[in-house]
Amino acid sequence: MKKKILSVLLAGVIVVSVLAGCGKKDSKPQEGNKNENEEPGKVEFDFTKNLSNKNASDKANAVYNWLISIKGKYIISGLEERCADTGNVEFNFIRKETGKLPGLRGLDFINGDYEGVVRRAITWDKQHSLISICWHMGVPGSVDAGYDSSKSTCPDLKEALNNPESETYKQIIADMDKAAEPLKQLQDAGVVVLWRPFHEFDGKWFWWGKGGSESFVKLWQIMYDRYTNVHGLNNLIWVLGYSGAQTCGSESWYPGDEYVDIIGADSYSNNSAENGYSSLYSLLNKNLAKSGKPYTLHECGRIPDINALQSEKVEWLWFLVWHTGYINDEKNNSIVKLHAAFESDYVLTLDEMPDFSSIK
């Protein structure tokens, strides 16, 4: 059965209508390209500003409103790339097995891979992929030191965040500014970024969470203010990524509606997919439902049970499977499960993503 991606007309909401011939195809697309016999999605929208950043670009607002409009109708398939993955190893694995590619590519500024991330983000954005960027940000003063440093402790974080004259505070600002530059390059290239900083904060295994919820909220707000009001980064959609811990959805970690666009949870649970995701959804919904923000599965080890998501009305905007040992590991994601997801009418793949390239 062919799929028509969204045709909704509401005040303040974009309309995305994928023209005839843009449904599921049997032929295999080339890497990063739509099928030649498909026409790109036509995007029409008004200029109502719905993002937390009132100066957000028209394209960022278009992407955001489109995401909201597919909630409960579809889920976007996503995969986090291996670090500095110029060979697209796991993306090619999915394409080889299913003839499809994910509709969302996850990237990471880890180890200072700014130039590479920018290059790959631009390449995939041109193919209509959504772009998500996280950052395993090293402890202040060693920002590009990588994963181990991100799990270190910043002992004077609370004190530093209350004292802009402290050396640690100044270092935090300098580190943030370093990542602002590649984000500016992406803005100049017309790339909208699902920006997912300080992820899994409530798990308290990264330095930005080890200082507790009060310090985290201040840290998030400082970055938001600096990126939005100092650097003028209007291409960002701010994704708040809770972990799968029982604090998921806790208001004590919530920076506030004016600093967040999408609320996410993650899951590496060994429980059945439907139970694990329903549990996370319930935790979010119980505590943060009044925010009105859409939810997403910002990171996971296993592709969710698509039938369960539909029957239980778990309305994630996308799922993002982690790299290296997850997508191509039978214990986590079997070939049968891979086919079930990427061939489902409920799951959007790269060849079915709208073309936002005409919006700058």
Side-chain angles (χ1 to χ4, degrees):
M1 181 176 66
K2 290 188 176 181
K3 181 193 307 178
K4 293 182 180 179
I5 302 178
L6 189 64
S7 180
V8 178
L9 178 58
L10 295 171
V13 178
I14 63 168
V15 176
V16 177
S17 58
V18 175
L19 304 179
C22 287
K24 292 273 188 181
K25 302 293 179 183
D26 294 329
S27 58
K28 292 186 179 182
Q30 296 298 311
E31 171 127 16
N33 290 320
K34 296 174 75 68
N35 293 337
E36 291 182 359
N37 61 338
E38 290 184 340
E39 296 184 55
K42 181 181 178 182
V43 182
E44 300 175 357
F45 66 101
D46 67 20
F47 290 89
T48 300
K49 303 294 187 181
N50 291 320
L51 284 165
S52 56
N53 174 11
K54 303 306 179 186
N55 295 316
S57 69
D58 292 333
K59 185 175 179 180
N61 273 289
V63 171
Y64 185 59
N65 286 320
W66 177 74
L67 285 169
I68 290 173
S69 68
I70 69 167
K71 184 172 73 76
K73 300 180 179 70
Y74 304 105
I75 187 170
I76 302 165
S77 56
L79 176 64
E80 182 79 12
E81 66 170 24
R82 293 188 183 189
C83 299
D85 183 16
T86 57
N88 300 308
V89 174
E90 292 172 327
F91 289 83
N92 286 337
F93 170 78
I94 294 175
R95 184 166 65 96
K96 178 182 177 182
E97 292 296 336
T98 69
K100 300 292 180 181
L101 285 166
L104 183 151
R105 185 179 181 105
L107 303 101
D108 191 341
F109 282 149
I110 191 170
N111 300 322
D113 185 29
Y114 305 111
E115 181 181 347
V117 166
V118 168
R119 183 175 61 253
R120 293 190 297 281
I122 292 174
T123 296
W124 283 74
D125 173 78
K126 288 179 179 178
Q127 311 308 324
H128 310 154
S129 174
L130 286 181
I131 300 299
S132 170
I133 299 179
C134 70
W135 190 14
H136 282 90
M137 180 181 181
V139 72
S142 60
V143 65
D144 297 336
Y147 183 73
D148 289 340
S149 180
S150 70
K151 296 186 73 174
S152 299
T153 300
C154 182
D156 59 345
L157 183 60
K158 183 175 182 179
E159 179 183 348
L161 293 175
N162 288 311
N163 181 12
E165 298 304 316
S166 70
E167 289 304 312
T168 299
Y169 185 96
K170 292 177 181 178
Q171 188 61 62
I172 289 172
I173 296 300
D175 291 347
M176 288 182 181
D177 289 350
K178 191 169 188 179
E181 293 308 311
L183 292 173
K184 285 180 183 177
Q185 293 175 40
L186 291 173
Q187 178 166 251
D188 292 342
V191 178
V192 173
V193 176
L194 298 165
W195 178 233
R196 187 170 67 101
F198 305 131
H199 63 290
E200 298 178 341
F201 45 87
D202 56 319
K204 301 181 182 179
W205 39 76
F206 296 120
W207 68 263
W208 51 83
K210 289 182 177 181
S213 60
E214 182 180 349
S215 292
F216 166 75
V217 167
K218 287 184 179 179
L219 190 67
W220 181 280
Q221 291 175 350
I222 288 169
M223 175 181 274
Y224 184 99
D225 178 70
R226 191 156 189 85
Y227 278 16
T228 301
N229 300 317
V230 176
H231 291 289
L233 289 168
N234 299 322
N235 61 325
L236 306 183
I237 297 175
W238 290 76
V239 181
L240 181 72
Y242 283 89
S243 72
Q246 289 303 307
T247 53
C248 182
S250 170
E251 291 186 73
S252 67
W253 293 90
Y254 189 56
D257 286 353
E258 64 271 37
Y259 301 97
V260 175
D261 298 310
I262 296 172
I263 300 171
D266 72 10
S267 176
Y268 288 82
S269 173
N270 291 323
N271 296 330
S272 64
E274 56 269 33
N275 291 337
Y277 301 143
S278 295
S279 175
L280 285 169
Y281 179 85
S282 297
L283 285 167
L284 284 175
N285 194 58
K286 177 181 177 181
N287 296 317
L288 295 173
K290 64 179 181 294
S291 74
K293 306 290 183 179
Y295 299 142
T296 196
L297 188 59
H298 72 88
E299 189 176 307
C300 59
R302 299 179 178 185
I303 297 172
D305 185 314
I306 304 303
N307 290 331
L309 296 185
Q310 292 177 269
S311 64
E312 298 178 18
K313 301 187 184 304
V314 180
E315 298 175 336
W316 303 124
L317 295 179
W318 68 82
F319 65 80
L320 182 67
V321 181
W322 197 245
H323 61 74
T324 314
Y326 286 99
I327 194 65
N328 54 0
D329 181 355
E330 282 282 330
K331 293 185 294 184
N332 289 295
N333 293 294
S334 67
I335 298 300
V336 171
K337 190 173 184 179
L338 196 66
H339 277 275
F342 280 79
E343 294 168 7
S344 168
D345 282 333
Y346 188 69
V347 177
L348 297 182
T349 51
L350 183 63
D351 55 305
E352 297 166 316
M353 297 298 289
D355 178 11
F356 293 98
S357 62
S358 61
I359 306 169
K360 300 295 183 182

